[in-house]
Amino acid sequence: MVNILGCTFARGGSKGVPGKNIRMLCGQPLIGYAINAARASRFLPRQIVSTDSPEIAAVARSFGAEVPFLRPAYLATDTVPERLAWRHAITTMEELEGTRVDVLVSVPPTCPLRDPSDIDRCVEMLLESDADIVVTATEAACNPYFSMISFDDSGLARLAVAPEGLVTRRQDAPAVYDLTAVAYAARRDSVLRLDSIFHGRVKAVIIPRERAVDIDSQLDFDLAELLLQRRAAVDSGTVRLRRAA
């Protein structure tokens, strides 16, 4: 049986949106959306939270997550790659519980519009393939072969990536995708061994853009709030229609 560790990584500091991880969003702390989605996944029997903040830990426990340790401060700065926190979670849980973690599933707190099925698809793809990690991605809003530019030394603009041949329509440019923080599923050994996601075999689950909003700024927060309110309005309208029928 594969031992899957579900974890949400939520440090206390946030520069773009202060207090982001426990800031209220449509009546619920942001981290609550990640915990609820993880607990609804078919593959995560439990969800732990790795944080350096006792306040975040208390909120996480109120949503049913476990906080078996507090992350060391040196792993909670904005300059430390989160991959090191992944390693710390794996090795710490193995030491605490005396069992080997086979797969780490990270469900970041910053994508509140994800669906539990998005998490499940990542785990399924990992278990059914030889991938070291499965990431989530969404169709890019801009395309470096068509609508993204860079500047040369003289200040003239040019396409960020020159396509092979003439591309006059975005649809004809090579497809590109934005990485999202909806979910990650990674094999233990790849997390402990590799220093970059892309040093290993990587597969991706494509997520609809409306479920992939990643909160990194106030604008992102405002957009997520709008989309959640719209979703709630649609859901309540559906309920009323069913009752009327």
Side-chain angles (χ1 to χ4, degrees), residues 143-147 159 163 165-175:
N143 191 306
Y145 295 94
F146 183 73
S147 58
L159 283 173
L166 180 64
V167 175
T168 59
R169 301 187 313 153
R170 185 175 185 274
Q171 294 89 334
D172 297 329

Side-chain angles (χ1 to χ4, degrees), residues 206-222:
I206 306 303
I207 306 294
R209 289 176 64 184
E210 64 272 15
R211 295 209 303 264
V213 174
D214 187 355
I215 296 179
D216 192 46
S217 67
Q218 182 60 49
L219 180 61
D220 299 328
F221 199 95
D222 293 341

Side-chain angles (χ1 to χ4, degrees), residues 15-16 25 60 62 125 134 139 157 180 208 228 237:
K15 292 183 178 179
L25 175 63
S62 74
M125 184 175 287
V134 174
E139 185 177 350
T180 75
L228 283 167

Side-chain angles (χ1 to χ4, degrees), residues 1-4 42-43 45 100-103 127:
M1 183 176 177
V2 178
N3 183 13
I4 301 175
R42 295 187 290 110
F43 291 98
R100 175 187 170 93
V101 172
D102 297 307
V103 172
L127 297 180

Side-chain angles (χ1 to χ4, degrees), residues 54-94:
E55 188 177 7
I56 291 176
V59 172
R61 291 188 181 103
S62 74
F63 279 86
E66 301 174 39
V67 189
F69 58 85
L70 284 179
R71 195 193 315 177
Y74 73 89
L75 290 177
T77 69
D78 58 3
T79 59
V80 173
E82 188 170 287
R83 196 170 187 82
L84 297 184
W86 290 11
R87 290 177 181 174
H88 176 263
I90 290 173
T91 56
T92 299
M93 290 303 293
E94 288 182 339

Side-chain angles (χ1 to χ4, degrees), residues 145-243:
Y145 295 94
F146 183 73
S147 58
M148 294 180 68
I149 63 171
S150 60
F151 295 93
D152 63 20
D153 292 339
S154 64
L156 294 176
R158 59 185 176 186
L159 283 173
V161 180
E164 294 183 6
L166 180 64
V167 175
T168 59
R169 301 187 313 153
R170 185 175 185 274
Q171 294 89 334
D172 297 329
V176 294
Y177 298 86
D178 290 328
L179 282 174
T180 75
V182 170
Y184 304 86
R187 298 187 191 278
R188 172 193 186 273
D189 291 344
S190 73
V191 175
L192 299 183
R193 184 182 79 252
L194 303 176
D195 290 325
S196 169
I197 287 174
F198 292 101
H199 285 172
R201 296 180 296 274
V202 183
K203 288 185 174 289
V205 169
I206 306 303
I207 306 294
R209 289 176 64 184
E210 64 272 15
R211 295 209 303 264
V213 174
D214 187 355
I215 296 179
D216 192 46
S217 67
Q218 182 60 49
L219 180 61
D220 299 328
F221 199 95
D222 293 341
L223 176 59
E225 187 171 47
L226 176 64
L227 292 175
L228 283 167
Q229 289 171 346
R230 181 179 298 174
R231 177 186 288 180
V234 170
D235 290 346
S236 62
T238 302
V239 170
R240 285 196 296 270
L241 286 173
R242 287 175 179 169
R243 287 176 178 172

